[in-house]
Amino acid sequence: MRTSTSPAAMVLAVLLLLGAGWAWPWSRMPIITFLCFGLAALGLTVLMRAGQVSFGHAMYAAIGGYATAFTVRALPGIDGLVAAAAGVIASLAVGALVAAFVSRYRGIFFGMLNLGLSMVLFSLAGKLYTWTGGTDGLRFERPSLLGMVMERGQFELAMLVLALMLAVGVTWMVQRYFDSCSGQVMLAIRTNETRLEYIGLSARWVLAQGYVLSAGLVGLAGSLLALVQSLVTPESGYWIRSGEYVFIAILGGSGHAVGAFLGAAVFELIKLTAAAYFTNAWQILLGATLIAVIFFAPQGIVGWRRRGPKPAMPQEAR
């Protein structure tokens, strides 16, 4: 069933986030983090449409972040947008390479292969100190943005605006992809892949395309986070971070692209609340939330919002 989200609600959400970032400077980093986590979870949502879950997709956030850092350090004076674009391109290139063989696997084998690759990358990032800075991470000077050199506060506000614009644009494009023929084929992979092959469609090729798209989305999230922090560490590609992205994707639901951002908002809200009032129990709150979602809203927040009474059967069909 095709779903839609009210444009008025999206405009209101964007204005509220912009207003919060303008009025309370301390809120800018949490909002940017939530938007980046939403972008990364959106990449996982693309794969979940085909019934596949990756436990190692955070490696693309690390690839995007390190590629951004390398670009800024190698080309002093380069604009931050160009550096972020380099991070996305690197993620897409690696994603295309990995998709060539990962796309032939399904289920737990698909998830564990991605996990294994991410652990290899995590280990290399921690040991190749000369290139990556090891466990301390790789720092770089804050670049200009659209040719403008800014102070820290101004830069965070500009990054907030950029992240919001990218989140809205990417959400629209990914939802268009979900509604397209390729997006519908991704759904068919989850339900009856054999039938797709019988009618002449290559499920492996379509899944590979979706995989590259998901890698690019996670890479974009990693690039933006590295850019706003002026730092990238191996932890950005650790399996725990991948688990957080999966958690957010499940929490938001795969029924609509905006679900990833709803899940990210709830995730960040729980973490901030727990950090303030339940310092040593935030994992318990996250776990309890996930259990509640699985029991009471198995299709995520989006599925729960769109659940309603079934339409009456037409008289002539009775």
Side-chain angles (χ1 to χ4, degrees), residues 51-55 105-116:
Q52 308 304 313
V53 177
S54 170
F55 299 112
Y105 298 95
R106 301 289 183 271
I108 190 63
F109 304 105
F110 180 89
M112 296 307 292
L113 266 175
N114 282 282
L115 175 61

Side-chain angles (χ1 to χ4, degrees), residues 99-183:
F101 65 91
V102 168
S103 60
R104 71 178 63 186
Y105 298 95
R106 301 289 183 271
I108 190 63
F109 304 105
F110 180 89
M112 296 307 292
L113 266 175
N114 282 282
L115 175 61
L117 290 170
S118 72
M119 293 307 295
V120 170
L121 180 65
F122 172 78
S123 298
L124 289 174
K127 296 181 182 301
L128 299 177
Y129 186 86
T130 304
W131 293 336
T132 65
T135 56
D136 294 332
L138 192 64
R139 291 190 175 274
F140 54 93
E141 294 293 328
R142 184 169 60 248
S144 60
L145 204 59
L146 292 176
M148 296 179 288
V149 179
M150 306 177 188
E151 297 296 330
R152 182 65 192 177
Q154 295 174 327
F155 186 77
E156 287 183 354
L157 185 58
M159 286 298 299
L160 172 60
V161 175
L162 175 63
L164 272 172
M165 292 174 59
L166 287 173
V168 173
V170 167
T171 301
W172 179 79
M173 288 189 292
V174 171
Q175 186 56 41
R176 294 270 302 194
Y177 168 75
F178 287 166
D179 294 334
S180 70
C181 293
S182 295

Side-chain angles (χ1 to χ4, degrees), residues 189-211:
I189 292 175
R190 181 173 61 185
T191 55
N192 196 327
E193 183 175 343
T194 304
R195 182 174 296 178
L196 284 177
E197 300 290 345
Y198 276 132
I199 64 176
L201 294 175
S202 173
R204 181 182 172 186
W205 172 245
V206 174
L207 181 60
Q209 289 179 319
Y211 188 94

